[in-house]
């Protein structure tokens, strides 16, 4: 396998993973302290990498151009396929809703500062959605062009932001422990979503072919890079602000504002803010393109102007409606996304591997270590993550953000 293609694929995985979820990390884990947050992140990274390897175990016996849909149908039947399709829709919609809510409030704050008037976050949400929807509706080629520019800028902004923040870290903040045990449970769904990338696995398999050694490397290193970035980001955010201060910020904008104030340096706030805008825009472009194509395919909308217009409306109106009703719903929507991500990235791979291990001739094939015990453990963790989200929704454990 050419080194270039392997490296490129690792970057695709890392690029899909590092997105809006990262922005929610300091807010979602504000009450945990650096050490606890890092331990949870490492555990969730291990979980996500393990289930990505399970997907490879499934892919090795199938056609290289299989999608999650076709795999689910082959191994789990119609019902499995329906669950996969519904979970995919729900995940895409929830993520887009989070991006619009987050991007909308960022944009309205910016317009308010520039013009000196107060603009409602809903107006920002509409402008942000129309801008991204136009690029996506024109076609994949335009998304590719815009994304290349924004992605490069995002990497530069990330480096500048961490470079400006890390020198201000104070050791005493890093030894803080969780304020309340319930907060650990509350933080799980958002942290879990921030490590999600599993929708991209079939595309990578198609790109690389069934070369398990190369694919394994891509999954492990492609997901380890976001882990490292997230640990540095937690180090910066939790090391600069004490827990009470961090917890007082319930929105991204408030968090950025207090960082600038605390460090008496508007450059710091600006660098975080620019990185946040770019992370939201690139995530939104990638995910809404996936949703757009998926809807056009499922609903058989043609590739002409009217067809693309209709698909655009079905793609963008529902998440925009969410953001209009819940302008502060950024973190809430990322939590909802976790429910369907548990189905897509844990339950489905586990179910498919179970069926395949029973039927396939596995003598010389690739089998992920850990046996039934590991499959059982990750299933239980998946149930805990869904329970954590539901318990937050009905108010039994504290909600984050
Ligand atoms: N990890 C992505 C969200 C995501 C989840 C699942 C699949 C794709 C993307 C983010 O933080 O923005």
């Amino acid at each position: 396998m050419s080194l270039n293609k392997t490296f490129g694929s690792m970057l695709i995985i890392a690029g899909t993973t590092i997105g809006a979820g990262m922005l929610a990390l300091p807010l979602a884990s504000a009450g945990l302290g650096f050490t606890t947050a890092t331990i949870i992140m490492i555990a969730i990274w291990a979980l996500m990498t393990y289930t990505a390897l399970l997907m490879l175990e499934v892919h090795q016996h199938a056609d290289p151009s299989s999608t999650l849909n076709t795999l689910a149908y082959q191994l789990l039947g119609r019902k499995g396929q329906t669950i996969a399709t519904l979970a995919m829709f729900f995940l895409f919609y929830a993520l887009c809703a989070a991006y619009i809510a987050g991007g909308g409030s960022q944009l309205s704050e910016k317009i308010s500062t520039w013009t000196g008037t107060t603009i409602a976050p809903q107006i920002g949400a509409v402008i942000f959605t129309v801008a991204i929807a136009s690029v996506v509706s024109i076609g994949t080629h335009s998304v590719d062009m815009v994304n290349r520019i924004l992605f490069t800028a995002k990497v530069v902004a990330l480096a500048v932001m961490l470079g400006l923040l890390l020198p201000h870290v104070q050791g005493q903040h890093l030894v803080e422990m969780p304020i309340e045990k319930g907060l650990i449970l509350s933080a799980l769904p958002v942290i879990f979503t921030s490590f999600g990338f599993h929708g991209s696995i079939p595309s990578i398999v198609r790109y690389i072919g069934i070369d398990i050694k190369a694919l394994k490397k891509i999954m492990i290193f492609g997901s380890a890079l976001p882990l490292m970035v997230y640990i540095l980001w937690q180090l910066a955010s939790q090391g600069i602000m004490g827990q009470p201060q961090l917890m007082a910020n319930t929105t991204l904008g408030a968090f950025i504002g207090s960082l600038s104030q605390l460090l008496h340096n508007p450059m710091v706030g600006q660098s975080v803010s620019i990185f946040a805008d770019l992370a939201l825009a690139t995530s939104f472009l990638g995910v809404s393109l996936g949703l757009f194509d998926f809807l056009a395919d499922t609903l058989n909308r043609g590739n002409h102007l009217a067809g693309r217009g209709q698909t655009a409306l079905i793609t963008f109106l529902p998440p925009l409606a969410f953001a209009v009703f819940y302008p502060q719903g950024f973190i809430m929507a990322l939590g909802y996304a976790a429910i369907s991500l548990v189905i897509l990235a844990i339950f489905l791979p586990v179910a498919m591997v179970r069926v395949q291990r029973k039927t396939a001739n596995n003598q010389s094939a690739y089998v992920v270590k850990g046996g039934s015990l590991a499959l059982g453990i990750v299933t239980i963790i998946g149930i805990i993550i869904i329970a954590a989200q539901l318990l937050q929704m009905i108010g039994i454990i504290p909600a984050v953000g």
Side-chain angles (χ1 to χ4, degrees):
M1 183 50 52
S2 85
L3 216 59
N4 211 342
K5 240 173 148 178
T6 311
F7 184 67
S9 302
M10 282 176 199
L11 287 190
I12 294 180
I13 297 283
T16 315
T17 312
I18 300 178
M22 173 177 163
L23 306 174
L25 280 177
L27 305 174
S29 44
L32 300 184
F34 175 71
T35 316
T36 311
T38 302
I39 293 171
I40 295 176
M41 289 199 305
I42 293 174
I44 289 188
W45 166 75
L47 163 82
M48 289 304 228
T49 309
Y50 170 75
T51 63
L53 296 181
L54 291 182
M55 284 307 299
L56 298 185
E57 187 180 327
V58 173
H59 270 287
Q60 73 183 326
H61 298 294
D63 191 87
S65 63
S66 306
T67 61
L68 188 66
N69 244 317
T70 54
L71 290 174
Y73 179 62
Q74 279 162 19
L75 288 159
L76 306 171
R78 271 261 173 261
K79 248 193 222 148
Q81 189 192 24
T82 310
I83 293 176
T85 308
L86 287 180
M88 204 115 80
F89 269 126
F90 193 80
L91 174 70
F92 280 154
Y93 273 127
L95 288 174
C96 286
Y99 301 151
I100 297 176
S105 64
Q106 284 277 98
L107 191 60
S108 67
E109 266 170 49
K110 289 223 165 67
I111 299 178
S112 302
T113 326
W114 290 332
T115 58
T117 50
T118 317
I119 305 271
Q122 281 89 342
I123 311 266
V126 174
I127 300 174
F128 185 50
T129 308
V130 169
I132 299 284
S134 317
V135 178
V136 172
S137 306
I138 294 172
T140 310
H141 186 66
S142 69
V143 175
D144 185 15
M145 290 298 118
V146 175
N147 201 46
R148 268 177 214 210
I149 301 168
L150 294 183
F151 189 82
T152 313
K154 172 168 124 178
V155 174
V156 175
L158 174 67
V160 171
M161 173 182 88
L162 289 175
L164 283 174
L165 287 176
L166 286 171
H168 297 283
V169 169
Q170 292 178 326
Q172 89 260 17
H173 291 318
L174 297 177
V175 293
E176 286 169 350
M177 295 308 280
I179 288 185
E180 202 186 313
K181 291 267 174 349
L183 286 174
I184 298 181
L185 210 52
S186 309
L188 287 181
V190 171
I191 299 183
F192 177 72
T193 303
S194 72
F195 279 95
F197 62 87
H198 292 55
S200 311
I201 298 175
S203 323
I204 302 286
V205 173
R206 194 174 340 133
Y207 184 50
I208 297 284
I210 311 282
D211 175 346
I212 293 294
K213 218 173 122 208
L215 287 169
K216 253 171 82 174
K217 229 194 296 171
I218 292 168
M219 296 306 144
I220 295 173
F221 291 105
S223 60
L225 186 65
L227 174 67
M228 277 178 291
V229 171
Y230 290 179
I231 291 179
L232 288 178
W233 173 231
Q234 291 275 21
L235 188 68
S237 53
Q238 308 231 13
I240 291 176
M241 274 188 234
Q243 268 170 331
Q245 245 173 326
L246 206 52
M247 288 183 76
N249 298 306
T250 51
T251 65
L252 192 58
F255 169 65
I256 295 174
S258 26
L259 268 182
S260 312
Q261 237 175 16
L262 200 71
L263 301 178
H264 307 292
N265 184 353
M267 273 255 295
V268 175
Q270 264 156 18
S271 73
V272 181
S273 177
I274 290 172
F275 171 75
D277 297 342
L278 292 167
L280 284 163
T282 48
S283 301
F284 190 21
L285 273 177
V287 170
S288 61
L289 178 67
L291 178 59
F292 187 96
D293 286 344
F294 195 44
L295 277 166
D297 193 41
T298 315
L299 304 174
N300 266 326
R301 292 295 112 169
N303 206 6
H304 41 82
L305 196 64
R308 292 190 76 84
Q310 286 165 357
T311 311
L313 286 180
I314 319 170
T315 306
F316 294 101
L317 273 188
L320 178 60
F322 171 89
V324 168
F325 285 111
Y326 297 100
Q328 310 294 358
F330 174 55
I331 293 188
M332 180 162 77
L334 287 174
Y336 283 129
I339 297 180
S340 35
L341 189 57
V342 167
I343 297 174
L344 287 173
I346 301 184
F347 293 167
L348 282 173
V350 167
M352 290 194 287
V353 159
R354 276 217 170 100
V355 172
Q356 196 168 64
R357 283 185 188 172
K358 264 190 235 143
T359 52
N361 171 15
N362 284 329
Q363 293 311 316
S364 58
Y366 170 53
V367 178
V368 187
K369 290 196 183 64
S372 308
L373 180 68
L375 293 180
I377 293 176
V378 295
T379 307
I380 292 172
I381 300 178
I383 295 171
I384 294 176
I385 293 172
I386 292 186
Q389 181 60 24
L390 296 178
L391 290 176
Q392 265 179 83
M393 279 154 56
I394 52 177
I396 295 190
I397 55 173
V400 291

